[in-house]
Amino acid sequence: MKKNRLGASDLLVGEIGLGCMSVGTEEQQAVYLIHEALDKGVNLLDTADLYQHGRNEEIVGAAIRGRRQDVILATKVGNRRIPGQEGWEWDPSKKYILSAVKESMRRLGTDYIDLYQLHGGTINDPIDETIEAFEQLQQEGVIRYYGISSIRPHVIREYVERSNIISVMNQYSLLDRRAEEEVLSLLQERGISVIARGPVASGVLADNGEEKAAKGYLDYKEAELLDVRKQLKAFAGSDRSMEQTAIRYSLSHPAVAAVIPGASSLGQLEHNISAADIAPLTEHEREALQQISRANRYDAQYR
């Protein structure tokens, strides 16, 4: 699998990683899927302390035991669960980040994290304090690098200007092209890599995604989604599947270093990874695909 450098770091990640949130909570099956991914060339595993109340980190930790050197391990912080309460609250404070990382490392069974990411962010956060926490962890060797997971352009710009992030995890697919307008060019210019999540748009762009399309996606109407699917299928032809084409679309922007599709079955995992064997899209093909979807606008709440 082709490997790309994350920003200006020394982290080389396979262009197709694994979003581990989807592997489930049955440990034996989940560990099996992660091992299969690693055996097939995946080295970027992404999780978060929020997923399944920390259980996802524990499962990832079990899977990488004895294979830590094969993995670029990414997790996230900022969503704080309150014991005895439903849900969580947003806490980007230095105090919380410095304590939360210890719990993540315990669950993951590791003494360092390759990429520690802020799991969200708002323009009203104590951003300098948050950055200070990440910088301290990096200086202490607890984390190798840090980034943010955000779809908010204003927040992303603040971290680009004020921090040493190497990556931004951003929702980016043929159906969600908001990042093209305000984010990707800036990150490419600054040498900060994008890790694209949701390249298959929650399954809407998969070959068997008709039922997912019926449930809607973003502000698309079902008829629009069905039309995009019809045109995508025709574009893909017989040489590649719809999801392979969708994954290659997300990878076609030069700012994108990796995509992290999820997988809950071996077949799904293998199909996602097989996109690494498909030739990259030409600029003409990329432009043709853009004609079958529409550019998206950010809602005011995400600015």
Side-chain angles (χ1 to χ4, degrees), residues 204 209-229 294:
V204 174
E210 291 88 353
E211 290 185 8
K212 297 291 182 66
K215 296 177 181 178
Y217 187 77
L218 297 179
D219 61 345
Y220 286 91
K221 295 180 172 61
E222 180 183 358
E224 289 182 283
L225 293 174
L226 293 175
D227 184 58
V228 169
R229 283 181 48 78
R294 56 178 166 82

Side-chain angles (χ1 to χ4, degrees), residues 15-16 248 273-279:
E15 62 180 359
I16 299 175
R248 293 287 1 158
I273 294 173
S274 70
D277 300 322
I278 305 298

